[in-house]
Structures are given as structure tokens and as C-alpha cells.
Amino acid sequence: MAGLIGQLDAQIYNLLAGWNVYTTLLVAVLFAYVGWAIYDTQDADTHPLLLARQAQPLYVRQPGESAIYRSPETPHGYPLRTGLGVKPPGTPMYSSGKDGDLRDIWRRVTGEIPLEKSSDATTKGKIMTVLGKEQVIDHDITELTAEISIVGKHLKDHGSKRVALYLPNSVEFLVALFAGAFYGFTPILIPYNQSHPTFIELLNRSGADALVAQAGSIPLEDVTKSVSGLRQVIWTVERTSRHMDWNEVPEGIGGKVDVSVWHQLVQDQRSGAPALPNGTEKAPGVAFLWQEGLSKSVEIVEFSQQNLSAATGALISALPNGQRFSPSDTFFPGDLFTNSYPLCLTLAALFAQSTVIINSVAGPGTDLSVATRSIAPTVAVVSAETAVKVHDTTTQSITSGLKKLAHYLETQVLTSGRLPTDTLFSRLNAPTRASVGSSPGKLRLLFVAERAGQNTPPLSSDDLSDLRIYTKARVIYALTAARVAGAVAQTNIYDYRRGLTAAKKHSHFGIPVSSVEVRLRDTSTHKTTDEHTAGEIVVSGPAVAGGEASLGVNGTFNDDHTLAYI
């Protein structure tokens, strides 16, 4: 026994006798590697097999078509999502609820229909407006309800049936939209900043008999002479211009058109504003104008209330329970309300009683850092042009080797299936971040809309990965189309994979949302075989105007059953 101990002592002595600075360095590296391996064994945000096969195809297909693909939320054999699942007070918990429409969304904002997880009917949503660089106005929901009542009744009393809204993103836009549902007229959403001849043509094509527009945005004399069916005009006036007389009617118009001013209507009737109607009759739909670009060809699409409620409900349910909108969220619509995807996401935020912050500068190519400098959104929706601008601007600012190293390390974390979090190293050498919001890092969800067939700038899977690092948010890439309310498909919130597409090529668009199903129809150049799926994208379901629509673009379903351009 003593001999064994002596041999062990001699071995230890020999080991320590040869110890030097290099040995110390090697041991330190070894311990650091083992420690990092232990620290870095966290689970991915979702199981990799859930990303390996995402959409569910039908087991049979028709000749000349691919199989029909659906979201796993609504498997084949079950009905597609048709609405919001609204549960008025007193509805049993096991009830699926009714589809609902815009009126039910506003009743949720006012607290008349409480959140499912809360019995407190006094809780209300919040709507705020950003003016200029710093001023943020918190609108009183009771006063907005009165405005819906006053403006809606005024338009109804004047016999308006089709009301054109020619406004930037604003609280008046939302008020007029909800007024249409309560008072039985169809809002026609005309993209802002049109040339005057194009605007007049759109008014005539849409059959508008009333107009709500920003004061000074159009020449009233030209419009009234060229649009014979126009009978009512309501100007919305910025606070800095309300000292001027906007009720003046140009000579020659006479009594043909009645001109009113929004804030004066509200002031004159605020004390006696009637309550909103409680009728259960079917509300009219909403007309959208799908436009390739300013002064370009326009497709007029009218969505029913069910189209919009189905699309909104599908966008809500597409998010995992822990990531859905909540009253603690601040939602910023960075794209136009005249596009159905940002509008439906805004409706989803209102339905969740989140705070919605409106900025009139929203639109394609918006400078997101400027638009959000006085607010701190947790959720935002932007156009593909805006997302590309954020990506390119931030990428160009990464010049030092340390910043590139920090970016690479967080890229590796994303590749392993996790959203990067702050570590000791990232605090010492933080990756370059995009300037989004007054509290950088607070943004948790960023929705990006690709408009099908509109030649929008592509975002590759590597670009989307970079955006997740730049914004510290989960990025959702959605495919939108003219005749489909909301989205056709959108990526899984936990799909962080890179290298799926070449640079300057569109990444995939995930799976169809639960309100639609997608198939590919054969064309002269693209056909579906047993080995390959390709063709023109065809969408059907409750969120589609007319029930079915061909998008006019070719697509494919990848091996992981995600929809992508060819």
C-alpha cells in the first residue's frame, strides 16, 4: 500500500515539475471549452422536427394540380378558421364563440366584450397618435366612440353608401372604418399620395358617393366636376391648421356637394352624441385598392366582414400562446392601413386590447428609426421595402472586426435554434443594433409583408437572420395578395434557419394561415410531378374574396412543406 502511494506521489511530482505557462494556458482553454459546452446546451425554441415538416398536404391531388396544403391548426377534414371566436359576457367557456366583425372588435376595445382571461369589463384598449418628433396623444376611447357615432350618423343621414377614405394612417381612418360597420356604409380605402388625375379616376371606378380626406390633399373643384356621383365631403384638419375656414365651397359647385369639417362636426354634437347601434344585421364589407405603385394599375377588391374577421382570427392563432398580442404590448403599424395585412394585424392588436400607436409617416420604405424615435413598440409590422432599408443601413455600419465577431457569435446561436439573449460577452462587445424605438431591444415581434407580384425587394433567409440580430426580435415573413385578406402564408415564429435561399432571393413564406388552403396549378412551364411540386399559387378559404383566387405568381412547396417562389 505504501509503495502504491509512493508511486502516485512520484507521478504527481513529475507532472507538476514540468508545469509551465503553456500548460496553464492549455488547461484554461480546456476548462473554458467544457464550461461553454455546458452553458450552451440549452434547448432550441422549438423542436427541429416541427420545422422539418410544416404544412400538411392532402394525401390525394387532382390532375394538373398539387396536393392541397393547410396549416396544422386546421387539418384536412376540419373546417378552416372563419372568424374571431367572439364570446360576449355570459357565453359558456366551452363555446367556440361567433365569427364576429368590426363591431365586435370595437366592443372589445371599449371593454363591452371583455378578454377571455379577464372578467373585468372596465378594461379598455389604448390608441395613441404620434405628432412630429416628440408629441404623443393618448386618445380617450369614450371620445373615439362618440366620434364613430357622430361621423357615422352624419354620413348615414346624408344617404352615403360608399365612402372613400383618402387618409394617411390616422385615428380618423380607424374611426371612419368602424363607423362603416356600425352605420351601414362601405369604406373604400384609397392609398394616399395619388396624383390628382389618378385619384379622380379611382373615385369614379369605385362608385364613391362620399369622401373623407385630409384637408388640402386634393383640389375640391376638380373632384366635384369630374366625379358626378359625389355628394358629401368631410375634411380632416391637422391641429395646426384648424384656424382656417375649410367649409368654403368653390364657386360653381353650389349645393351639389355638402362640405363638412371633421373636428367641427364632433365639437357641435359631442354633448349629444348618440349611442352606437346595437343592431345584428349584416354589416357591409370594406373595399381595398391593390396598387402596384402610385399612378399604376389598380385592382378593386371588396372584402366581406367575414373575410376580415377570418383573416384577423388566423393571424392571432398563428402565434403560439406565449407570443400572442396582449394588453401589455405596444403595437406600431409601420405600413399602410390601405393594405389588408397591416390593417388586420392592427385589428388583432385592438382585439387583444394592446396599445396601438399610429404615425402618419407609415408606408413602403419608411425610415423606421425616425418613425419610432418617440415610442417604444413591442410589436411592429412593416413593408418589405422598410425591412430591406433597415437591413442594408445597419449592415453598412458594421465595419470593425469586433462587431463582426459579435454578429457571428449571435448568428451561431440562431443557427442552433435559439434567439440570442444578453450574455457577459454581448455586454462587453454588443452586436450592432438597428435604431428601432426609444427603448432599443424592447421590440419582440417584427412582421414583414411581401406583396405578391409587386416586384418588392427580396429578403433571403440570411437577411431575415440578420434582422433578428439587429432588432433583437423574432421576424415573421408573410406573403400577401390582392384578393386574400391578411396573409396567404407566413413563417413560423421560431424558424431561424439560414442558408435556405441564395442572396438576393426571397426566403420561403412558411405555411398557409388557418383561414386559407393553398394548392399549385400547373402552367405551361411549371408542373407538379411525384418528385416536384410547382405551379401557379391558388388560394381558397374564408379569408379569400369570392372564395378562391389565383395569385398570378408561380410557387413551390419545399421539402419542409413551406411555400416559396420559384
Side-chain angles (χ1 to χ4, degrees):
M1 187 68 178
L4 180 62
I5 294 175
Q7 291 178 11
L8 180 61
D9 181 67
Q11 291 292 336
I12 294 174
Y13 174 81
N14 292 333
L15 174 65
L16 296 178
W19 195 278
N20 55 37
V21 65
Y22 300 106
T23 311
T24 303
L25 182 61
L26 288 173
V27 171
V29 170
L30 179 62
F31 274 99
Y33 177 78
V34 173
W36 175 258
I38 296 173
Y39 173 79
D40 197 45
T41 55
Q42 302 175 47
D43 291 335
D45 289 349
T46 190
H47 198 287
L49 288 180
L50 295 178
L51 301 178
R53 290 290 185 271
Q54 299 194 32
Q56 290 191 350
L58 192 62
Y59 292 114
V60 297
R61 63 183 178 91
Q62 298 299 321
E65 295 181 349
S66 73
I68 297 173
Y69 288 80
R70 280 192 174 193
S71 166
E73 290 182 56
T74 51
H76 295 282
Y78 289 83
L80 293 169
R81 188 173 301 278
T82 59
L84 293 162
V86 179
K87 296 180 181 180
T91 303
M93 291 297 295
Y94 55 80
S95 171
S96 60
K98 62 178 183 176
D99 289 342
D101 55 29
L102 289 175
R103 294 171 293 188
D104 296 298
I105 293 176
W106 187 254
R107 292 184 182 116
R108 172 64 66 81
V109 175
T110 62
E112 184 179 342
I113 299 177
L115 290 170
E116 286 81 358
K117 296 181 180 180
S118 172
S119 59
D120 185 6
T122 61
T123 304
K124 298 181 180 181
K126 288 185 177 181
I127 300 178
M128 308 173 80
T129 299
V130 176
L131 297 177
K133 295 182 178 180
E134 300 294 339
Q135 188 177 7
V136 179
I137 299 175
D138 188 353
H139 299 280
D140 184 86
I141 297 300
T142 303
E143 292 183 1
L144 292 182
T145 302
E147 290 190 26
I148 293 174
S149 176
I150 292 168
V151 174
K153 188 174 185 304
H154 177 84
L155 289 167
K156 181 180 180 180
D157 291 346
H158 283 75
S160 301
K161 296 296 183 183
R162 296 180 66 81
V163 180
L165 306 184
Y166 187 58
L167 298 167
N169 284 12
S170 60
V171 70
E172 290 85 1
F173 189 108
L174 292 179
V175 166
L177 180 70
F178 285 111
F182 280 103
Y183 287 92
F185 60 81
T186 299
I188 303 168
L189 313 185
I190 301 179
Y192 199 61
N193 282 333
Q194 304 285 341
S195 65
H196 294 159
T198 301
F199 176 72
I200 291 171
E201 178 190 353
L202 294 178
L203 279 182
N204 281 314
R205 284 185 56 190
S206 62
D209 54 25
L211 170 65
V212 179
Q214 193 169 51
S217 60
I218 54 171
L220 181 59
E221 184 175 1
D222 293 347
V223 171
T224 52
K225 289 180 179 179
S226 303
V227 184
S228 58
L230 194 64
R231 294 290 178 268
Q232 176 73 20
V233 174
I234 299 179
W235 295 125
T236 66
V237 183
E238 295 180 356
R239 293 172 181 266
T240 55
S241 302
R242 292 184 179 180
H243 61 283
M244 300 173 63
D245 182 13
W246 294 101
N247 288 296
E248 184 179 352
V249 179
E251 292 185 13
I253 297 179
K256 178 183 176 182
V257 176
D258 180 70
V259 179
S260 305
V261 179
W262 184 291
H263 68 274
Q264 292 179 355
L265 279 176
V266 173
Q267 288 175 358
D268 293 343
Q269 303 180 44
R270 186 181 298 277
S271 59
L276 293 176
N278 289 319
T280 57
E281 66 278 0
K282 185 178 179 181
V286 179
F288 288 77
L289 275 64
W290 181 267
Q291 190 174 26
E292 182 177 349
L294 294 178
S295 303
K296 299 291 183 64
S297 60
V298 174
E299 180 180 0
I300 300 176
V301 180
E302 188 163 335
F303 290 120
S304 67
Q305 290 287 329
Q306 187 183 45
N307 293 149
L308 294 174
S309 61
T312 303
L315 293 178
I316 293 173
S317 66
L319 297 174
N321 284 332
Q323 298 293 340
R324 291 182 183 176
F325 296 174
S326 71
S328 61
D329 276 316
T330 300
F331 177 77
F332 172 68
D335 200 1
L336 296 173
F337 286 155
T338 50
N339 297 329
S340 68
Y341 186 62
L343 181 60
C344 287
L345 282 172
T346 303
L347 296 176
L350 291 172
F351 193 67
Q353 291 187 344
S354 302
T355 299
V356 174
I357 301 185
I358 304 170
N359 193 330
S360 62
V361 302
T366 297
D367 189 330
L368 196 58
S369 63
V370 174
T372 60
R373 60 188 167 186
S374 58
I375 58 176
T378 60
V379 183
V381 55
V382 298
S383 65
E385 293 89 340
T386 298
V388 168
K389 187 174 183 178
V390 172
H391 176 271
D392 292 348
T393 302
T394 311
T395 301
Q396 291 169 7
S397 66
I398 304 176
T399 55
S400 70
L402 286 176
K403 291 298 182 184
K404 291 179 180 179
L405 174 62
H407 185 85
Y408 169 78
L409 292 176
E410 292 212 338
T411 297
Q412 294 303 110
V413 175
L414 279 171
T415 304
S416 68
R418 306 193 314 273
L419 192 72
T421 56
D422 286 337
T423 62
L424 176 61
F425 183 81
S426 67
R427 292 189 183 97
L428 295 174
N429 180 35
T432 301
R433 308 293 188 191
S435 178
V436 179
S438 58
S439 300
K442 191 173 182 181
L443 188 70
R444 68 178 187 88
L445 290 177
L446 180 64
F447 294 86
V448 180
E450 154 71 12
R451 290 164 57 84
Q454 298 297 293
N455 197 31
T456 53
L459 284 163
S460 68
S461 57
D462 289 354
D463 295 337
L464 295 175
S465 178
D466 290 341
L467 279 173
R468 294 182 181 101
I469 296 173
Y470 296 156
T471 61
K472 294 188 69 176
R474 293 180 170 90
V475 178
I476 298 171
Y477 195 31
L479 177 66
T480 65
R483 303 190 66 82
V484 182
V488 175
Q490 64 180 28
T491 55
N492 189 306
I493 189 175
Y494 299 127
D495 191 350
Y496 311 139
R497 296 173 298 168
R498 293 173 58 91
L500 303 179
T501 52
K504 304 302 179 183
K505 296 291 184 181
H506 291 85
S507 178
H508 69 81
F509 304 107
I511 63 174
V513 295
S514 58
S515 59
V516 301
E517 56 186 18
V518 177
R519 67 184 187 275
L520 306 178
R521 182 179 294 158
D522 288 355
T523 66
S524 59
T525 55
H526 299 286
K527 298 184 183 299
T528 294
T529 65
D530 291 340
E531 294 78 25
H532 182 64
T533 302
E536 182 184 7
I537 301 174
V538 180
V539 188
S540 56
V544 183
E548 182 175 302
S550 299
L551 303 193
V553 295
N554 296 323
T556 184
F557 277 94
N558 299 321
D559 292 339
D560 59 359
H561 295 172
T562 55
L563 180 63
Y565 286 149
I566 293 181

